[in-house]
Amino acid sequence: MSTTQSERLRELLEPLVTSQGLDLEEIAVDSVGRKRVLRVVVDSDTGADLDQIADVSRALSAKLDESDAMGAGEYTLEVGTPGAERLLKEHRHYVRAVDRLVKFQLTEGGELVARILTVDDEGLDLEVPGVKGRKATARRIAFSDIDKARVQVEFNRKDKNEEEA
């Protein structure tokens, strides 16, 4: 039996999110002053658009209203996506981040910023950008060598089509 409120909420809501074609990435219950906020983060391999988020929000709200999972007090339900600088935790997160620039905290210490090229069951093939005019280099990294990984926002990245022109 689940012990924490987040675990109970996950058990209640995850089947509903999955039925909408999305993955339940995160659940958090926060107190903001006297109010409580239930934050639900959803995603899919193709992303989640506003219509999907609105649909799942309505479905979650109805499910929560018919259960006592949030107790008697008032709360606000917020449903959204992970955002641009998402933390990569699950295998599917790395797959979704292919071709994205990621900052890795390595278990041996140190950091690495590289673009994910491919993902398999053991790890990642990366392209480490060249510095000061040097060419990019290839690198393989095992999942066991990664302590943390976070997608980086790129403002000046050229589209592949632009690079080939």
Side-chain angles (χ1 to χ4, degrees), residues 103-159:
K103 183 177 189 177
F104 298 92
Q105 300 287 328
L106 305 175
T107 54
E108 68 204 26
E111 293 180 348
L112 172 66
V113 177
R115 187 169 313 283
I116 298 177
L117 299 176
T118 62
V119 179
D120 59 35
D121 291 341
E122 286 80 41
L124 315 166
D125 289 313
L126 306 173
E127 179 184 71
V128 181
V131 180
K132 296 183 180 177
R134 293 187 179 143
K135 288 193 173 234
T137 57
R139 180 166 175 184
R140 174 83 181 162
I141 189 169
F143 287 116
S144 61
D145 294 333
I146 302 169
D147 186 37
K148 275 186 178 178
R150 184 177 298 275
V151 172
Q152 300 296 288
V153 174
E154 294 181 85
F155 293 107
N156 298 324
R157 177 153 189 230
K158 290 184 180 176
D159 184 317

Side-chain angles (χ1 to χ4, degrees), residues 4-76:
T4 68
Q5 183 179 27
S6 291
E7 289 172 336
R8 287 190 306 272
L9 287 167
R10 179 172 287 278
E11 286 178 6
L12 178 70
L13 303 179
E14 192 161 30
L16 194 54
V17 171
T18 303
S19 75
Q20 301 278 325
L22 300 169
D23 294 317
L24 178 59
E25 298 294 350
E26 190 177 319
I27 291 180
V29 180
D30 299 313
S31 294
V32 181
R34 292 184 178 182
K35 291 186 175 188
R36 291 180 305 151
V37 178
L38 171 58
R39 289 185 176 87
V40 178
V41 178
V42 298
D43 201 7
S44 77
D45 289 345
T46 57
D49 64 30
L50 289 176
D51 290 334
Q52 287 176 299
I53 291 171
D55 290 344
V56 79
S57 181
R58 282 189 290 274
L60 294 178
S61 181
K63 185 72 167 179
L64 289 164
D65 287 348
E66 70 185 37
S67 79
D68 66 347
M70 287 298 292
E74 284 187 32
Y75 67 93
T76 301

